[in-house]
Amino acid sequence: NAGVTQTPKFRILKIGQSMTLQCTQDMNHNYMYWYRQDPGMGLKLIYYSVGAGITDKGEVPNGYNVSRSTTEDFPLRLELAAPSQTSVYFCASSYYFIRDSNSPLHFGNGTRLTVT
Amino acid sequence: DQQVKQNSPSLSVQEGRISILNCDYTNSMFDYFLWYKKYPAEGPTFLISISSIKDKNEDGRFTVFLNKSAKHLSLHIVPSQPGDSAVYFCAASVSGNTPLVFGKGTRLSVIA
């Protein structure tokens, strides 16, 4: 079981370029999330989805877009990369938000993005 | 405005001793709390959780204590092992129906 798979692992972008961070899960989870982690900071929620076709903003959505056309995939789009978007991005999934210890978030291994 | 605070960026403990990691929260609506552990170049992994109807939850070497009146929780690791060296994140949710809010993390170093 692969769990949550993120690609690419690393990427360097120039200011103004665009890219899509890919995330796929094979656990048939309904809920998926994108978090970013800046150095010395916790994980901040960018966007989340409670099912195919449904997405919602998190704490720091500006500069990002998402789509959820299938249960498995939840790509994150950066349209005009800025240095402030330099971060490590984590995708996660769960059956429900968090109902009990049997349904914790499962995280991917992250994408390290540098914008110069 | 941080709703979940981990005020100690780092902690160093000798192998075999107890590690105590602390977490404070400001949102009184939070009623479900989790601890995640993160190794370098990996995603966080779930460690242990507690709901507000309890004040303690134990899983092997890991115990989480919740003090609702103080809006404080702590993670105890006994005995600490070198493999426990990682960053530990405290996270909280409202009724298990909202996305997790994470603290900044505490880096634990267990010295052999």
Side-chain angles (χ1 to χ4, degrees), chain B residues 11-20 61 77-85 108-112:
Chain B
L11 175 68
S12 191
V13 171
Q14 277 199 308
E15 181 179 6
R17 306 293 289 267
I18 184 171
S19 295
I20 300 177
R61 296 186 297 115
I77 307 174
V78 184
S80 301
Q81 299 173 353
D84 296 329
S85 296
L108 173 66
S109 299
V110 180
I111 303 161

Side-chain angles (χ1 to χ4, degrees), chain A residues 35 42 97-98 100-101 105 108-109, chain B residues 32 36 43 49 89 96-97 100 103:
Chain A
Y35 284 90
F97 274 122
I98 299 292
D100 55 42
S101 61
L105 259 64
N109 284 335
Chain B
Y32 197 79
Y36 277 79
S49 63
F89 290 99
N97 287 328
L100 291 180

Side-chain angles (χ1 to χ4, degrees), chain B residues 11 13 17-23 35 47-48 55-67 72-81 84 88 108:
Chain B
L11 175 68
V13 171
R17 306 293 289 267
I18 184 171
S19 295
I20 300 177
L21 294 91
N22 293 304
C23 177
W35 285 93
L47 191 57
I48 193 168
D55 54 18
K56 176 183 173 181
N57 189 28
E58 204 169 343
D59 183 1
R61 296 186 297 115
F62 303 91
T63 303
V64 56
F65 295 92
L66 176 62
N67 182 333
H72 177 83
L73 63 155
S74 60
L75 174 69
H76 293 211
I77 307 174
V78 184
S80 301
Q81 299 173 353
D84 296 329
Y88 289 79
L108 173 66

Side-chain angles (χ1 to χ4, degrees), chain A residues 1-115:
Chain A
N1 225 357
V4 178
T5 303
Q6 291 183 238
T7 56
K9 286 185 170 49
F10 305 94
R11 184 73 186 267
I12 299 174
L13 280 183
K14 293 191 187 306
I15 295 171
Q17 286 185 320
S18 61
M19 77 163 293
T20 299
L21 282 68
Q22 301 291 346
C23 176
T24 187
Q25 52 93 7
D26 62 0
M27 296 173 283
N28 203 30
H29 285 168
N30 291 318
Y31 293 10
M32 295 187 74
Y33 317 78
W34 276 104
Y35 284 90
R36 60 178 283 175
Q37 185 191 11
D38 300 328
M41 304 295 285
L43 295 122
K44 292 188 183 296
L45 183 67
I46 305 171
Y47 271 96
Y48 65 98
S49 168
V50 301
I54 305 169
T55 63
D56 212 342
K57 295 179 181 178
E59 184 183 357
V60 290
N62 292 342
Y64 306 95
N65 279 302
V66 293
S67 60
R68 184 95 183 271
S69 56
T70 67
T71 300
E72 295 77 21
D73 300 306
F74 191 40
L76 178 72
R77 178 85 177 160
L78 283 72
E79 290 294 349
L80 290 169
S84 61
Q85 293 177 305
T86 294
S87 190
V88 181
Y89 292 83
F90 290 100
C91 179
S93 71
S94 65
Y95 279 116
Y96 305 104
F97 274 122
I98 299 292
R99 291 197 187 268
D100 55 42
S101 61
N102 294 323
S103 181
L105 259 64
H106 297 263
F107 283 86
N109 284 335
T111 294
R112 184 175 295 274
L113 176 67
T114 302
V115 182

